[in-house]
Every structure is written in structure tokens, then in C-alpha cells.
Amino acid sequence: MVEGSMTQGAGQGPVVRTATSRDFRVPPYAQVPVQSECSSREYALAHPEDSVPRPIPLRSGESAPQPAPADRADDPHRADDPAPAARAADGEAGAPGTAPHRAEDAVPGAPEDPEDPQVHPGDAVPDDEPPEGYTPTERDLPVLDRDGTVRVAAADRQPAPEGPGPLYVVGDVHGYLDELVAALTTEGLIDSEGHWSAGNARLWFLGDFTDRGPDGIGVIDLVMRLSAEAAAAGGYCKALMGNHELLLIGARRFGDTPVNSGAGTATFQAAWLLNGGQKNDMDRLQDVHLQWMSRLDAVVEEDGHLLMHSDTTAYLDYGTTIEDVNDTVHEIINRNDADECWDLFRKFTKRFAFRDDNGPKAVRELLAAYGGGRIVHGHSPIPYLLGEVGAEDADGEGKAEPLVEGPHVYADGLAVAMDGGVTMAGKLLVAPLPLQA
């Protein structure tokens, strides 16, 4: 652990950048189970991928702009929405619609038995502090000698493994905490109680923790806690900035404040609602979450893999080195300027730069600037990249089986897509790097 370094985004003390690692202290809030409110889950019925409200010019004498629907034709990087949003009225203008729960998302409606609480693995917390004079590694109760002194058997200490452990990446989670816990457990990264169990393994989340799914704040809490547990075990768990982190920060900070979108006005609040913003997440969002998200890096290189959230070359607008990009993004967020933050969000929302004939060239441009031999990204769901959204079988029936089984390698083998489309006909992906052939 580097002396004087900072938990990634934990918001305790001044930030001291280091070239190799960061501390992973977690504030007390992140160690307290968060009461699940999944019974009041809200969904965007369809999946308007990262929609941006259509700019609307202010009329003479108009005091406040009105949020407008998305217009995908304005952004050449955006695919047409395969399933236009259908929102049901819920009593509030502009509030997200509510869609039927998926079967795997069903939560029993009966209250928990207070004498037999069911603790979600994502809400698990470290054991209570041991009594004074008791070794933290010993699980048995201390034995008292007749003279009243505490006698504890010496615990066998295993030497910490040398060198970095295996590297894993996680695609977009979008609030699907149960699916995340299941995927991490399958890979052996956490145990049955939701605690880090992978020793010195290294784990990177590629961003987009909230929106669309039922428990985005629960996802953030889990990642923050795993960061501390992994560091204590000699590994690490870190995360990158996604466009939905920028969107949630903007919605909380700026709300309905008009921002200059180039052709009129828009607001973060309208964009957040349009892109699956969940009232449940906003109600539970606290300063510690905002601080953590605000300090996330945008791009990083690990073992020859250039990790980033979005499949866009817009990162080049913010610096010619990885450090420059991350510093610039942090400075923009800290300046708290609505227009500047909107422009950052808008650029990180662009997609599909690596998909078409010029894709390999775009990937090589980023690799030449920032290093690495292959880009690994989230953001664009693999079903979109494959053009399989809304596909039909030979009988003309819609395909019900998942369209995604693993990461998608494309752009002459130079790019790996990790957004498995958990919010559609896909899955939440956790994969080791390098990918096995």
C-alpha cells in the first residue's frame, strides 16, 4: 500500500496520485448494509441506449426549458433505437415508466422475519472488531486461564503471494446486483457471503453501475467494499468512469439547470430520466457515492490491455497520455460547470467507433496514444454490435434465448466488447484477461 495514497474515490482527505496503486480505505457508510428497496423497482420499459434529449430553442419570454425526447439522428455514433421507449404514467410528469419485472428479478413481497434476516451478499459487512488482546485471524473464542489472562493459540500466517495476480474485467452492471454477485461468485472472486475470496487477483469494472436496473446504489456499495477487502488480501478492485456515472453526478448536481447542447437547451435531469434513471437510486445517493464516482479514472492500461468505458475516440479530446486524460476529466468534474460536464457526458456517450470498416484504424489511433495492444471496453451492448437486437428465427418468431455468451472480439482482433447487454437479451460479463482462445 502506498503511503499517503487515496482510496479510489472514497473521498477521505486530499487526493495524492501515484503511478502504481491507491489505498482502498472505505468510509463507514459503505460498511453498513443498505436496506434493499427492490420491491419498488422502476424500469425503463425499453432500452433507449444513452439517449440525449433533443435540443429545443428557447422561445421569447420563456423562463424555463422543457425536457425533450431523444433524437438519435443527431449523433452519427448512435444506433437507431431497436425498441422505442414505452413509459406508463405514474402520476408525475417526466418520471420514468414502470415495466414488468423480469422473472429472475422477482423479489418476495413478504417482509423479512426479524429473527431470521436474509442478508443479501452484496450487503455483507466485515465481522465486528475482535476484543482487545484477541488476534484478528483467530476465529475461535479466546480461552481464559485461571489467572484471568487471555490465552490465544498463534495463527499460522501464510506468506502473501508475490507479484500481480490474475486480471479480470466486468462489463456494464446497470443496477443488476443479483446478477453481479452471481457472476463474481462463478469466477471465484467472491465467496458465498459476498466477500472477496480471490487473494491477489486484480479486478476492473468498466463503468455504468446505475440506471435501468433495480439496485445501482447497492452495486456501488459492493464495489467500494470489495476494494477494501481486495487490497487487504494483496489484490485490488478498481473501477472506471462510465457515461452513466457522469449522468448521475450531473442529475444530482445540476438537475433542471439548462445546459448548452449546441442547438438549444437540455438538462441533466431529463437525460437521466430518459436513460433509465431510477428514483430508488437517487433517493439513496449520498455524498460518499458522489465523491467515489467523481474520482474514478477514465482510462487505464493493464498488462497490454487499454481499458476504457466507451468505444469512442473522444478520449483523445482530453489528453495525449492516460494521465492527462484522467487529470482533465477530474478537473472538469471538480470545476462544477454544468455546460462543461454536459459536453464531457455527451462525448463519452458516443459509440461504435471500432465497429465498421474504419474501426481498426480508430483502435490503433488510441493504442498509439495511450499504449497497449488491445482495447477492452463496455458501453455498447454486444447485441447492438452484432446487429442481433430484435432478430427473428427462421419461423419469424422473436428469439428468446440469450444472444450473448461471452466477450465479443472484433476490429481485426484489436477490440474486446464487455457489455453483455444484461438489460436486454444478454448477460452480465466477468472475464479474465487475456481471453483464452
Side-chain angles (χ1 to χ4, degrees), residues 14-40:
V15 176
V16 179
R17 295 183 61 83
T18 67
T20 56
S21 65
R22 292 186 180 182
D23 227 343
F24 289 92
R25 291 177 289 113
V26 176
Y29 169 80
Q31 301 177 17
V32 177
V34 177
Q35 294 298 323
S36 175
E37 299 181 21
C38 293
S39 59
S40 61

Side-chain angles (χ1 to χ4, degrees), residues 336-378:
N336 212 32
D337 181 276
D339 287 330
E340 200 172 18
C341 287
W342 176 265
D343 191 57
L344 180 64
F345 159 70
R346 180 182 62 83
K347 288 182 178 179
F348 277 22
T349 300
K350 294 182 177 180
R351 63 176 76 252
F352 300 147
F354 314 146
R355 185 180 64 172
D356 299 322
D357 292 341
N358 291 327
K361 178 181 178 182
V363 175
R364 291 188 179 96
E365 186 178 7
L366 287 164
L367 295 176
Y370 303 136
R374 175 182 267 184
I375 285 178
V376 181
H377 69 86

Side-chain angles (χ1 to χ4, degrees), residues 271-345:
W272 176 71
L273 290 173
L274 187 62
N275 287 284
Q278 302 295 301
K279 183 177 184 298
N280 182 48
D281 286 342
M282 186 63 77
D283 289 344
R284 295 162 59 197
L285 182 65
Q286 298 192 16
D287 286 345
V288 66
H289 301 123
L290 291 169
Q291 293 165 0
W292 182 80
M293 289 188 292
S294 297
R295 287 175 169 84
L296 298 179
D297 285 338
V299 60
V300 69
E301 189 271 333
E302 289 280 4
D303 294 356
H305 298 89
L306 188 62
L307 309 182
M308 56 180 58
H309 174 71
S310 304
D311 47 328
T312 176
T313 58
Y315 293 89
L316 295 168
D317 295 344
Y318 296 97
T320 58
T321 68
I322 289 176
E323 184 175 15
D324 287 345
V325 172
N326 292 331
D327 286 345
T328 301
V329 169
H330 295 154
E331 289 169 1
I332 290 174
I333 294 174
N334 289 333
R335 278 196 292 269
N336 212 32
D337 181 276
D339 287 330
E340 200 172 18
C341 287
W342 176 265
D343 191 57
L344 180 64
F345 159 70

Side-chain angles (χ1 to χ4, degrees), residues 231-256:
Y236 63 69
C237 170
K238 299 183 181 182
L240 292 179
M241 173 80 70
N243 61 304
H244 279 260
E245 280 68 65
L246 292 169
L247 185 57
L248 185 58
I249 292 170
R252 169 54 68 88
R253 286 185 179 176
F254 307 117
D256 290 323

